[in-house]
Amino acid sequence: MSRPCVALVTDPTSPEGCGDVLAEAVQQLTGRPPVRIDSRHFATGGTGRGIRSGDGERLRLVVPGHRIDVEPDVVVLYEIPPHRRHTLAAFQRALHRHDVVTLGTGTTAWRTATEKNLTVERFQRDGIAHMETSVLSRPSSQEAAAAFGKLGGDVWARPVIGTGGYDTFHVTDLDRLEYVSGFYAERGTDWMLSRDAGNITADGMRHQFRVFVLHGEVVHAREHLQPEPDQPCNTSQGATAVFIEPADLDPRLTDLAVAATTSIGLPFAGVDLAIEHGGVVFEVNVQPAFIPGELPKAAVPYIEAHLSALDARRA
């Protein structure tokens, strides 16, 4: 049987570099590089087209003027910046309609995970443990102060749609709250306040966990240790990651990460959570970024899941 053709559809404007890691995983597993395609061709207003192949059994991806004309066995859709994901909904529906082998067609799940206000609503519906949160949309100073007070005066502010912790702030006084409120107002961004989880180690470091869940099982995990407790606990913001074998992860975190991923409806996700308060979820990442060392631990299993689905289809 010929080696499968994998189309890797990513957004090259993303700084995370996940596309390169996934391309290496595809090369390792199939013995051939993927066909790299800029996702923006298939976004709203793009020139890319998905049409039936000549035999009517496969989807053909064509981008006029860019010498892209391919009939992939598998489509890997990844590394799409949060603010651009909604523009790919029609493409995702086309992949689903043509029964393409991919893990990237869940438009509702993508939106629920990307828009954090919807994440909170889903967690409330399904009983997923999380810190108390208030969603704010162009609030007055009085409204913001009331939400701040209700949450105990020690909160984290973050945009409804954001990434990497760049627009996330620890707020413990009204002056800081005023600055944050103005920051989001200038950008016309809806935002949220969540009660601080108190996720501080004995030596004063902020910490949290990222757990990678694939088809209901934990395939990889890491603990993030942030020496600046007022900064987001993201590796992009200076936190150090310590890998954890899935078997060594606290069972409470395993169960909670799987439950959160199931609640959102994603086949693959990176769940951010803390062990404090018995275990609470901060967010579910549709396309978690890979850091050095995660090619075999996360990227390869993700591609393997696509290839396994292809094998099942052929069988």
Side-chain angles (χ1 to χ4, degrees):
M1 184 177 293
S2 62
R3 291 176 295 183
C5 173
V6 177
L8 178 56
V9 184
T10 62
D11 190 326
T13 68
S14 169
E16 294 179 340
C18 295
D20 294 337
V21 179
L22 290 169
E24 187 172 349
V26 171
Q27 177 76 49
Q28 285 186 13
L29 293 169
T30 69
R32 63 185 292 187
V35 178
R36 302 285 295 264
I37 302 177
D38 187 332
S39 64
R40 294 173 296 177
H41 292 313
F42 292 96
T44 303
T47 60
R49 296 290 178 267
I51 59 178
R52 278 290 182 186
S53 61
D55 60 13
E57 294 185 358
R58 300 174 67 180
L59 183 67
R60 180 175 159 206
L61 300 180
V62 179
V63 183
H66 290 269
R67 294 189 293 181
I68 296 175
D69 188 339
V70 61
E71 295 179 11
D73 297 299
V74 170
V75 173
V76 178
L77 184 61
Y78 209 92
E79 198 174 9
I80 311 301
H83 65 283
R84 287 184 174 163
R85 289 175 188 162
H86 70 283
T87 68
L88 287 168
F91 179 57
Q92 290 175 284
R93 288 193 290 268
L95 294 176
H96 178 72
R97 187 168 60 250
H98 292 288
D99 203 22
V100 174
V101 174
T102 182
L103 299 186
T105 59
T107 54
T108 299
W110 273 37
R111 184 185 177 198
T112 302
T114 301
E115 300 179 25
K116 305 308 178 187
N117 56 324
L118 300 182
T119 302
V120 171
E121 291 176 4
R122 184 63 59 86
F123 285 174
Q124 291 173 338
R125 186 197 75 178
D126 294 343
I128 304 299
H130 62 286
M131 298 307 295
E132 184 182 359
T133 298
S134 293
V135 179
L136 303 170
S137 180
R138 282 72 168 176
S140 65
S141 297
Q142 293 79 7
E143 289 171 332
F148 176 69
K150 177 185 175 184
L151 296 171
D154 186 355
V155 302
W156 286 86
R158 55 180 172 159
V160 165
I161 299 177
T163 185
Y166 295 102
D167 298 338
T168 300
F169 307 94
H170 190 204
V171 182
T172 57
D173 60 63
L174 292 176
D175 287 341
R176 182 67 165 169
L177 180 67
E178 183 178 357
Y179 166 79
V180 167
S181 184
F183 177 91
Y184 293 130
E186 287 180 4
R187 291 155 179 77
T189 302
D190 289 352
W191 50 292
M192 306 161 61
L193 290 177
S194 297
R195 189 185 295 271
D196 186 273
N199 49 323
I200 304 292
T201 64
D203 54 356
M205 301 182 76
R206 181 78 61 176
H207 77 132
Q208 67 182 43
F209 298 83
R210 171 160 291 183
V211 179
F212 292 75
V213 177
L214 176 61
H215 290 321
E217 294 187 3
V218 172
V219 295
H220 175 53
R222 51 173 130 111
E223 182 178 15
H224 292 180
L225 297 167
Q226 171 60 272
E228 299 293 337
D230 291 329
Q231 294 298 317
C233 208
N234 299 70
T235 55
S236 60
Q237 300 297 307
T240 298
V242 179
F243 289 172
I244 303 172
E245 289 298 322
D248 296 331
L249 188 66
D250 189 300
R252 291 174 295 174
L253 296 179
T254 297
D255 293 344
L256 187 54
V258 171
T261 305
T262 301
S263 173
I264 299 298
L266 292 167
F268 177 73
V271 184
D272 291 341
L273 63 173
I275 194 67
E276 287 75 11
H277 303 277
V280 289
V281 178
F282 296 136
E283 66 177 317
V284 178
N285 298 276
V286 178
Q287 297 158 343
F290 306 122
I291 63 174
E294 288 185 336
L295 169 65
K297 294 180 176 295
V300 166
Y302 182 66
I303 298 300
E304 283 178 332
H306 286 79
L307 299 177
S308 295
L310 176 63
D311 289 342
R313 174 75 55 81
R314 286 173 168 173

